[in-house]
Coordinates of all heavy atoms in Angstrom, one line a residue:
L30 N -1.1 19.3 13.3 CA -1.1 20.6 14.1 C -0.2 21.6 13.5 O -0.6 22.8 13.4 CB -0.6 20.3 15.5 CG -0.5 21.4 16.5 CD1 -1.9 22.1 16.7 CD2 0.0 20.9 17.9
A31 N 1.0 21.2 13.0 CA 1.9 22.2 12.3 C 1.3 22.8 11.1 O 1.4 24.0 10.7 CB 3.2 21.5 12.0
E32 N 0.6 21.9 10.3 CA 0.0 22.4 9.1 C -1.1 23.4 9.3 O -1.2 24.4 8.6 CB -0.6 21.1 8.3 CG -1.2 21.5 6.9 CD -1.7 20.3 6.2 OE1 -1.8 19.2 6.8 OE2 -1.9 20.4 5.0
V33 N -1.9 23.2 10.4 CA -3.0 24.1 10.7 C -2.4 25.4 11.2 O -2.9 26.5 10.8 CB -4.0 23.5 11.7 CG1 -4.9 24.5 12.3 CG2 -4.7 22.3 11.1
R34 N -1.4 25.3 12.0 CA -0.8 26.6 12.6 C -0.1 27.4 11.5 O 0.1 28.6 11.7 CB 0.2 26.2 13.7 CG -0.4 25.9 15.0 CD 0.6 25.6 16.1 NE 0.0 25.5 17.4 CZ 0.5 24.8 18.4 NH1 1.5 24.1 18.3 NH2 -0.1 24.9 19.6
S35 N 0.2 26.8 10.4 CA 0.9 27.5 9.3 C -0.1 28.4 8.5 O 0.2 29.1 7.6 CB 1.6 26.5 8.3 OG 0.6 25.8 7.6
G36 N -1.4 28.2 8.8 CA -2.5 29.0 8.1 C -3.2 28.2 7.1 O -4.2 28.7 6.5
K37 N -2.8 27.0 6.9 CA -3.6 26.1 6.0 C -4.9 25.6 6.6 O -5.0 25.5 7.8 CB -2.7 25.0 5.5 CG -1.4 25.4 4.8 CD -0.6 24.2 4.4 CE 0.7 24.7 3.7 NZ 1.6 23.5 3.4
S38 N -5.8 25.2 5.8 CA -7.1 24.7 6.3 C -7.4 23.3 5.7 O -8.3 23.1 4.8 CB -8.2 25.6 5.9 OG -8.0 26.9 6.6
P39 N -6.6 22.3 6.0 CA -6.8 21.0 5.5 C -8.0 20.3 6.0 O -8.5 20.6 7.1 CB -5.5 20.2 6.0 CG -5.2 20.9 7.3 CD -5.5 22.3 7.1
A40 N -8.6 19.4 5.2 CA -9.7 18.6 5.7 C -9.1 17.4 6.4 O -8.5 16.5 5.9 CB -10.5 18.1 4.5
L41 N -9.3 17.4 7.8 CA -8.7 16.3 8.6 C -9.8 15.5 9.3 O -10.7 16.1 9.9 CB -7.9 17.0 9.7 CG -6.6 17.8 9.2 CD1 -6.0 18.5 10.4 CD2 -5.6 16.9 8.6
S42 N -9.7 14.2 9.2 CA -10.6 13.3 9.9 C -10.2 13.3 11.3 O -9.1 13.7 11.7 CB -10.5 11.9 9.3 OG -9.3 11.3 9.5
T43 N -11.1 12.7 12.2 CA -10.8 12.6 13.6 C -9.5 11.8 13.8 O -8.6 12.3 14.6 CB -11.9 11.8 14.3 OG1 -13.1 12.5 14.1 CG2 -11.7 11.6 15.7
A44 N -9.3 10.7 13.1 CA -8.1 9.9 13.3 C -6.8 10.6 12.8 O -5.7 10.3 13.2 CB -8.2 8.6 12.6
E45 N -7.0 11.6 11.9 CA -5.8 12.3 11.3 C -5.4 13.5 12.3 O -4.3 14.0 12.1 CB -6.1 12.9 10.0 CG -6.3 11.9 8.9 CD -6.8 12.4 7.6 OE1 -7.6 13.3 7.6 OE2 -6.3 11.9 6.5
K46 N -6.2 13.8 13.3 CA -5.8 14.8 14.2 C -5.2 14.3 15.6 O -4.4 15.0 16.2 CB -7.0 15.7 14.5 CG -7.4 16.6 13.4 CD -8.5 17.6 13.7 CE -9.8 16.9 14.0 NZ -10.9 17.9 14.3
H47 N -5.7 13.1 16.0 CA -5.3 12.6 17.3 C -5.2 11.1 17.3 O -5.8 10.4 16.4 CB -6.4 12.9 18.4 CG -6.6 14.4 18.6 ND1 -7.6 15.1 17.9 CD2 -6.0 15.3 19.4 CE1 -7.6 16.3 18.3 NE2 -6.6 16.5 19.2
K48 N -4.4 10.6 18.2 CA -4.4 9.2 18.5 C -4.7 9.1 20.0 O -4.4 10.0 20.8 CB -3.2 8.5 18.1 CG -1.9 9.1 18.7 CD -0.7 8.4 18.1 CE 0.6 9.0 18.6 NZ 1.8 8.3 18.0
R49 N -5.2 7.9 20.4 CA -5.4 7.7 21.9 C -4.6 6.5 22.4 O -4.6 5.4 21.7 CB -6.9 7.4 22.1 CG -7.8 8.6 21.7 CD -9.2 8.5 22.2 NE -10.0 9.6 21.9 CZ -10.0 10.8 22.5 NH1 -9.2 11.0 23.5 NH2 -10.8 11.8 22.1
V50 N -3.9 6.8 23.5 CA -3.0 5.8 24.0 C -3.5 5.4 25.4 O -3.6 6.3 26.3 CB -1.6 6.4 24.1 CG1 -0.6 5.4 24.7 CG2 -1.1 6.8 22.7
C51 N -3.8 4.1 25.6 CA -4.4 3.7 26.8 C -3.4 2.7 27.6 O -2.9 1.8 27.0 CB -5.7 2.9 26.5 SG -6.8 3.8 25.4
F52 N -3.3 3.0 28.9 CA -2.6 2.1 29.8 C -3.6 1.6 30.8 O -4.2 2.3 31.5 CB -1.4 2.9 30.5 CG -0.4 3.4 29.6 CD1 -0.4 4.6 29.0 CD2 0.7 2.5 29.2 CE1 0.6 5.1 28.1 CE2 1.7 2.9 28.3 CZ 1.6 4.2 27.8
V53 N -3.7 0.2 30.8 CA -4.7 -0.4 31.6 C -4.2 -1.5 32.5 O -3.3 -2.3 32.2 CB -5.7 -1.1 30.6 CG1 -6.9 -1.8 31.3 CG2 -6.3 -0.1 29.6
V54 N -4.7 -1.4 33.8 CA -4.5 -2.5 34.8 C -5.7 -3.4 34.8 O -6.8 -2.9 35.1 CB -4.2 -1.9 36.2 CG1 -3.9 -3.0 37.2 CG2 -3.0 -0.9 36.1
A55 N -5.5 -4.6 34.5 CA -6.6 -5.6 34.5 C -6.6 -6.5 35.7 O -5.5 -6.7 36.3 CB -6.6 -6.4 33.2
K56 N -7.7 -7.0 36.1 CA -7.8 -8.0 37.2 C -7.1 -9.2 36.8 O -7.0 -9.6 35.6 CB -9.3 -8.3 37.5 CG -10.1 -7.2 38.1 CD -11.5 -7.6 38.4 CE -12.3 -6.5 39.0 NZ -13.7 -6.8 39.2
D57 N -6.6 -10.0 37.7 CA -5.9 -11.2 37.5 C -6.9 -12.2 36.8 O -8.1 -12.3 37.2 CB -5.4 -11.9 38.8 CG -4.3 -11.2 39.4 OD1 -3.6 -10.4 38.6 OD2 -4.0 -11.3 40.6
G58 N -6.5 -12.8 35.7 CA -7.4 -13.7 35.0 C -8.4 -13.1 34.0 O -9.2 -13.8 33.4
A59 N -8.4 -11.7 33.9 CA -9.3 -11.1 33.1 C -9.0 -11.4 31.6 O -7.9 -11.7 31.2 CB -9.3 -9.6 33.3
D60 N -10.1 -11.3 30.8 CA -9.9 -11.5 29.3 C -9.4 -10.3 28.7 O -10.1 -9.3 28.4 CB -11.3 -11.9 28.8 CG -11.2 -12.3 27.3 OD1 -10.2 -12.0 26.6 OD2 -12.2 -12.9 26.8
L61 N -8.1 -10.2 28.4 CA -7.4 -9.0 27.9 C -7.9 -8.7 26.5 O -8.0 -7.6 26.1 CB -5.9 -9.2 28.0 CG -5.3 -9.5 29.4 CD1 -3.8 -9.4 29.3 CD2 -5.8 -8.5 30.4
V62 N -8.1 -9.8 25.7 CA -8.5 -9.6 24.3 C -9.9 -8.9 24.3 O -10.1 -7.9 23.5 CB -8.6 -10.9 23.6 CG1 -9.2 -10.7 22.2 CG2 -7.2 -11.5 23.5
R63 N -10.8 -9.3 25.2 CA -12.1 -8.7 25.2 C -12.0 -7.3 25.7 O -12.7 -6.4 25.1 CB -13.0 -9.5 26.2 CG -14.4 -8.8 26.4 CD -15.2 -9.5 27.5 NE -14.5 -9.5 28.8 CZ -14.4 -8.5 29.6 NH1 -14.9 -7.3 29.3 NH2 -13.8 -8.6 30.8
I64 N -11.2 -7.0 26.7 CA -11.1 -5.6 27.2 C -10.6 -4.7 26.2 O -11.1 -3.6 25.9 CB -10.2 -5.6 28.5 CG1 -10.9 -6.3 29.6 CG2 -9.8 -4.2 28.8 CD1 -10.0 -6.5 30.9
E65 N -9.5 -5.1 25.4 CA -9.0 -4.3 24.4 C -10.0 -4.0 23.3 O -10.1 -2.9 22.8 CB -7.7 -5.0 23.8 CG -7.1 -4.1 22.7 CD -5.7 -4.7 22.3 OE1 -5.2 -5.7 22.9 OE2 -5.1 -4.1 21.3
K66 N -10.7 -5.1 22.9 CA -11.8 -4.9 21.9 C -12.8 -3.9 22.3 O -13.3 -3.1 21.5 CB -12.4 -6.3 21.6 CG -13.4 -6.3 20.4 CD -13.8 -7.7 20.1 CE -14.7 -7.8 18.9 NZ -16.0 -7.2 19.1
E67 N -13.3 -4.0 23.6 CA -14.3 -3.1 24.1 C -13.8 -1.7 24.1 O -14.6 -0.8 23.8 CB -14.8 -3.5 25.5 CG -15.7 -4.8 25.5 CD -16.3 -4.9 26.9 OE1 -16.7 -3.9 27.5 OE2 -16.5 -6.1 27.3
I68 N -12.6 -1.5 24.4 CA -12.0 -0.1 24.4 C -12.0 0.4 23.0 O -12.5 1.5 22.8 CB -10.6 -0.1 25.0 CG1 -10.6 -0.4 26.5 CG2 -9.9 1.3 24.8 CD1 -9.3 -0.7 27.1
K69 N -11.4 -0.3 22.1 CA -11.2 0.2 20.7 C -12.6 0.4 20.0 O -12.6 1.2 19.1 CB -10.3 -0.8 20.0 CG -8.9 -0.7 20.4 CD -8.0 -1.6 19.6 CE -6.5 -1.5 19.9 NZ -5.6 -2.3 19.1
E70 N -13.6 -0.3 20.4 CA -14.9 -0.2 19.7 C -15.9 0.7 20.4 O -17.0 0.8 20.0 CB -15.5 -1.6 19.5 CG -14.7 -2.5 18.6 CD -15.2 -3.9 18.4 OE1 -16.3 -4.2 19.0 OE2 -14.7 -4.7 17.6
M71 N -15.5 1.3 21.5 CA -16.4 2.1 22.3 C -16.8 3.4 21.5 O -16.0 4.2 21.2 CB -15.7 2.5 23.6 CG -16.7 3.1 24.6 SD -15.8 3.7 26.2 CE -15.2 2.1 26.8

């Protein structure tokens, strides 16, 4: 963000501009590994 605001025009991939932070409440006994995988691969 600072680089762009300085007037530069860098080539930025999606992952180079943002990150996504998820906080999840799961059902008791749910497969947490599966849920995390489904989120990250959506």
